[in-house]
Every structure is written in structure tokens, then in C-alpha cells.
């Protein structure tokens, strides 16, 4: 990627910067010559050791600062803004910290609400207080809910019927950020990520989990008959979209889909992983899970037209790259999700 003038020598707060997507974003920003302040609480949604490993290489960059802070803790957050607020005016806030995952959100909806909505409110309030304008937010394809007849999903579609607490919190956070853009001129870009994968993918997500279990010869839990479809997005394409969103300045509030605009069935995904791993999967068939949607499928025409987004890695090319990373990571550090 050539140097981006809206990134070089600017300072960004990246919440969730120790996580899967966050650590890729932090690396890309640092490599572009930005200063990066990360706020992450290293919680145990999955093995925090993985997050610790993610941030180790960043200590080599002089422009990197890490705060182990919970975004629900307003006073702790305020202390970060007191120290870095003036610098953040040049760059902005990239808000990726969240309780992720649809199914676990049914078990602990309050934690999802407090993290994903109150946490977002805390950041929006501090942005207002410290005069920071740029705010990029990680939303999700899950906001489109159970709408198989409305594919591919367009940003203009109704998102008032999310079917899991997780999806609901993402829709609420988008709405809250709209209010802050309207009232206080916060310049917000909401990016609706469609299932993201690639090196470092969260161990709870299907591609990572299936690769590990197939490799170990253990049964893989498959929800439904394998006909559910997902638009899987390779991390490099997500990074391309995040960088473009940072440079976007035309409107005070905008929403963009980040997907490949290509769907694959769960059954086909498993075949692809089997082929690359070189082993047959042992299927543990389970009923469809409440909160899961039958299909996600991104219409990316708006993102292409307004952000110049051009995704390049479709699933057939991305799975071998992921499995390659997984096998190499196994050799270096045994992953214990
Ligand atoms: N991975 C995907 O497929 C996907 C799809 C759609 C949207 N998203 C969104 O993208 C963002 C990043 O997802 P990810 O897959 O990298 O997940 P992740 O869990 O790897 O990263 C999230 C990070 O946020 C941190 N965090 C969580 N709660 C926090 C809190 N209260 N205070 C401070 N830090 C906190 C976690 O410790 C973690 O490091 C999330 O907002 C997620 O909802 C991800």
C-alpha cells in the first residue's frame, strides 16, 4: 500500500487493537507512519494469550502506546483522552472494541449492551468533549437480520429487526453515532463487516475452528443442513476498506458494507477446508441456532463507488492462505482456544 497522507504522522486511537481485526489495523497504521494509541481490556472472550501475542511486535514502533482499559470505564478512558486528546484531533478514533459473536450474546445480553452501546457512547462523548471529529466504527452484517429475500444487502435497507442481542447492539451503536454526527459534527463512518477471516482470525469463528478440528481429526459442530450461506471477507480487503474510510470526508455520517459480495454455503466451506488441510471432516450435525441468519451477502456497489473499494481475495484463494497461517502458527505457538 502506498503512503496515505491522511494517515502518515497522524495519531489514532484504536479500541480493540489487541484483537483479530484491530491488530491488523494497528500494524497497517504503524507501517504507514501513524502514531497509534490502543485501548483494549484483554478480556477472556477467547484466550487472552492470543491478544498478548498480537501486540508483542508493536513495541518495536516508537509511535505505539497501549492502555489496558475497559471502554465501559469512563474515567479511565477520560485519562487517555486527557493525555492524547490534542494529538487525536489530527487522526481520530477507530472503534473496534466490542463483545463479538452472535450466539454468546444470547447468554449475556447485558454485557453486550454495556460494552457495545455504553462503551460506544463513552467514546462518542469523549470525542465531543475533546473536539475529535473522525470516528470509524466496526459495525456488522448481522444488523440486516433475517432477510433472505433482500439479498444482496444494501446499506439503505431497513435494519430495525436484528435477531440477536449482538446485532441489536451494533444497530443501536450506529444509531447513537448518527445522533452525535447530527448534533455535534462527529464525522462518522460505520463499516458493516461481513464475516472476516485471515491470519489471526478469532478461534471461535467457523473457519478457524473447523481448520483446527479437522486437522486434529475431531468432530466439527455443523449447525443446520449446511445450506446456510455467508459472504466471507478476507482481512486484507477489510484493511483496504478501513483505510479508505479513514480518508473519507464527504458526508458527516455514512455507512458502508465491507464484504466480498460472493456467498458460499457452509457445506462448500467445509469441503474447501478439507481439501487444503488434506483430511475429511467428521461432522457433528446440530440444529440451527437461534440468532443465526440463513444468509449474509454484501452489495458493495456503494463502497466501490464512494471509497474506491476493490476486494481481491475470494474464498477459494483465502482459505489456502488461512490454513497456511494456521499451520505455521501451530509450529511457533500452540494455539489453545
Ligand atoms: N470478525 C468478524 O467476522 C466481524 C464481523 C462483523 C463485525 N465485527 C466487529 O469487528 C470488531 C473486531 O472484531 P474481531 O473479530 O477482531 O474481535 P476480537 O474479539 O478479536 O477483537 C475485539 C477486541 O476488543 C477488546 N474488547 C472487548 N471488550 C472490550 C472492552 N470493554 N474494553 C476494551 N476492549 C475491549 C477485546 O479484548 C478484543 O481484543 C468488533 O467490533 C466486531 O463486533 C467482526
Amino acid at each position: 500500500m502506498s503512503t496515505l497522507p491522511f494517515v502518515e504522522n497522524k495519531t489514532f486511537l484504536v479500541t480493540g487493537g489487541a484483537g483479530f481485526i484491530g491488530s491488523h489495523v494497528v500494524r497497517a497504521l504503524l507501517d504507514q507512519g501513524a502514531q497509534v494509541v490502543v485501548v483494549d481490556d484483554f478480556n477472556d472472550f477467547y484466550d487472552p494469550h492470543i491478544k498478548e501475542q498480537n501486540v508483542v511486535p508493536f513495541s518495536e514502533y516508537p509511535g505505539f502506546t497501549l492502555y489496558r482499559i475497559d471502554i465501559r470505564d469512563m474515567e479511565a478512558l477520560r485519562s487517555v483522552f486527557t493525555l492524547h486528546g490534542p494529538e487525536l484531533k489530527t487522526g481520530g478514533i477507530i472503534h473496534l472494541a466490542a463483545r463479538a459473536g452472535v450466539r454468546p450474546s444470547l447468554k449475556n445480553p447485558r454485557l453486550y449492551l454495556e460494552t457495545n452501546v455504553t462503551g460506544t457512547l463513552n467514546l462518542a462523548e469523549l470525542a465531543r468533549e475533546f473536539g475529535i471529529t473522525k470516528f470509524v466504527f466496526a459495525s456488522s452484517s448481522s444488523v440486516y437480520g433475517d432477510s433472505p429475500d433482500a439479498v444482496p444487502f444494501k446499506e439503505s435497507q431497513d435494519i430495525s429487526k436484528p435477531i440477536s442481542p449482538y446485532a441489536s447492539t451494533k444497530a443501536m451503536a450506529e444509531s447513537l453515532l448518527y445522533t452525535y454526527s447530527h448534533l455535534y459534527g462527529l464525522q462518522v463512518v460505520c463499516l458493516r463487516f461481513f464475516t472476516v477471516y485471515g491470519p489471526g482470525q478469532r478461534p471461535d469463528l467457523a473457519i478457524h475452528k473447523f481448520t483446527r478440528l479437522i486437522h486434529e481429526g475431531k468432530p466439527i459442530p455443523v449447525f443446520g443442513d449446511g445450506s446456510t450461506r455467508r459472504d466471507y471477507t478476507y482481512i486484507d480487503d477489510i484493511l483496504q476498506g478501513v483505510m479508505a474510510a479513514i480518508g473519507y470526508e464527504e458526508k458527516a455520517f455514512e455507512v458502508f458494507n465491507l464484504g466480498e459480495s460472493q456467498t458460499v454455503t457452509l457445506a462448500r466451506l467445509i469441503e474447501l477446508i478439507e481439501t487444503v488441510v488434506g483430511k475429511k471432516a467428521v461432522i457433528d450435525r446440530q440444529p440451527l441456532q437461534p440468532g443465526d441468519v440463513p444468509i449474509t451477502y454484501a452489495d458493495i456497489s456503494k463502497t466501490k463507488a464512494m471509497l474506491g473499494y476493490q476486494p481481491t481475495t475470494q474464498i477459494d484463494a483465502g482459505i489456502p492462505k488461512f490454513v497456511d497461517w494456521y499451520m505455521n502458527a501451530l509450529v511457533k505457538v500452540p494455539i489453545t482456544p
Side-chain angles (χ1 to χ4, degrees):
M1 206 184 280
S2 54
T3 309
L4 303 169
F6 47 85
V7 171
E8 197 181 14
N9 295 323
K10 310 278 191 289
T11 303
F12 295 90
L13 172 68
V14 181
T15 70
F20 160 45
I21 299 170
S23 56
H24 283 274
V25 169
V26 171
R27 187 174 307 106
L29 289 171
L30 289 169
D31 284 342
Q32 286 277 329
Q35 278 72 250
V36 180
V37 178
V38 163
V39 164
D40 199 300
D41 71 347
F42 292 79
N43 66 59
D44 63 358
F45 175 62
Y46 57 85
D47 185 355
H49 174 70
I50 297 173
K51 302 175 189 180
E52 297 290 349
Q53 291 296 114
N54 287 344
V55 297
V56 166
F58 302 150
S59 55
E60 286 174 18
Y61 292 84
F64 173 71
T65 316
L66 172 66
Y67 293 96
R68 293 168 186 270
I69 280 175
D70 189 325
I71 56 166
R72 291 172 295 171
D73 182 345
M74 184 64 165
E75 286 323 302
L77 263 189
R78 191 190 301 282
S79 63
V80 174
F81 279 76
T82 304
L83 279 169
H84 298 280
E87 305 151 42
L88 289 172
K89 283 184 190 175
T90 66
I93 299 170
I94 303 174
H95 177 33
L96 306 172
R99 286 288 168 160
V102 166
R103 290 173 210 141
S105 76
L106 274 68
K107 294 203 182 86
N108 204 346
R110 192 173 302 278
L111 176 62
Y112 277 69
L113 186 85
E114 287 167 356
T115 307
N116 300 359
V117 182
T118 310
T120 302
L121 175 66
N122 289 345
L123 288 155
E125 267 292 288
L126 289 165
R128 179 184 66 77
E129 201 176 304
F130 286 83
I132 298 151
T133 46
K134 168 74 61 188
F135 199 107
V136 176
F137 172 61
S139 187
S140 162
S141 60
S142 63
V143 298
Y144 292 111
D146 184 2
S147 46
D149 300 332
V151 289
F153 299 147
K154 277 190 162 52
E155 292 88 343
S156 54
Q157 231 159 282
D158 173 33
I159 60 158
S160 64
K161 296 183 185 66
I163 64 162
S164 68
Y166 169 69
S168 190
T169 62
K170 288 291 180 184
M172 281 187 240
E174 280 193 14
S175 160
L176 191 60
L177 290 170
Y178 175 78
T179 305
Y180 271 68
S181 83
H182 173 77
L183 290 176
Y184 309 116
L186 193 63
Q187 220 245 299
V188 177
V189 180
C190 297
L191 297 173
R192 293 181 182 158
F193 297 162
F194 284 66
T195 318
V196 189
Y197 73 106
Q201 192 198 29
R202 291 194 342 245
D204 58 301
L205 289 173
I207 292 176
H208 192 152
K209 190 162 45 170
F210 290 173
T211 301
R212 176 171 56 84
L213 293 172
I214 293 172
H215 176 64
E216 291 173 357
K218 293 180 180 158
I220 61 169
V222 175
F223 300 109
D225 63 3
S227 64
T228 53
R229 287 183 168 269
R230 290 284 173 277
D231 189 345
Y232 293 100
T233 319
Y234 196 68
I235 186 68
D236 292 358
D237 294 328
I238 291 288
L239 276 182
Q240 194 198 117
V242 171
M243 291 298 163
I246 294 171
Y248 178 80
E249 283 187 333
E250 277 160 53
K251 289 199 188 147
F253 180 88
E254 205 44 272
V255 179
F256 295 108
N257 286 336
L258 286 185
E260 298 293 333
S261 203
Q262 179 212 39
T263 68
V264 62
T265 63
L266 186 55
R268 174 72 188 134
L269 177 78
I270 294 166
E271 278 172 19
L272 278 169
I273 299 174
E274 287 177 328
T275 307
V276 183
V277 173
K279 281 188 190 174
K280 283 300 277 181
V282 183
I283 308 282
D284 171 17
R285 187 82 53 198
Q286 309 238 0
L288 276 174
Q289 299 293 293
D292 274 356
V293 296
I295 182 166
T296 65
Y297 180 6
D299 182 318
I300 53 173
S301 48
K302 178 181 170 187
T303 319
K304 281 181 165 177
M306 293 173 69
L307 290 187
Y309 175 65
Q310 287 296 344
T312 56
T313 310
Q314 298 219 325
I315 196 81
D316 292 12
I319 291 294
K321 288 186 180 195
F322 174 79
V323 173
D324 197 42
W325 166 80
Y326 177 83
M327 296 302 176
N328 280 318
L330 264 191
V331 176
K332 283 189 224 130
V333 207
I335 293 170
T336 51

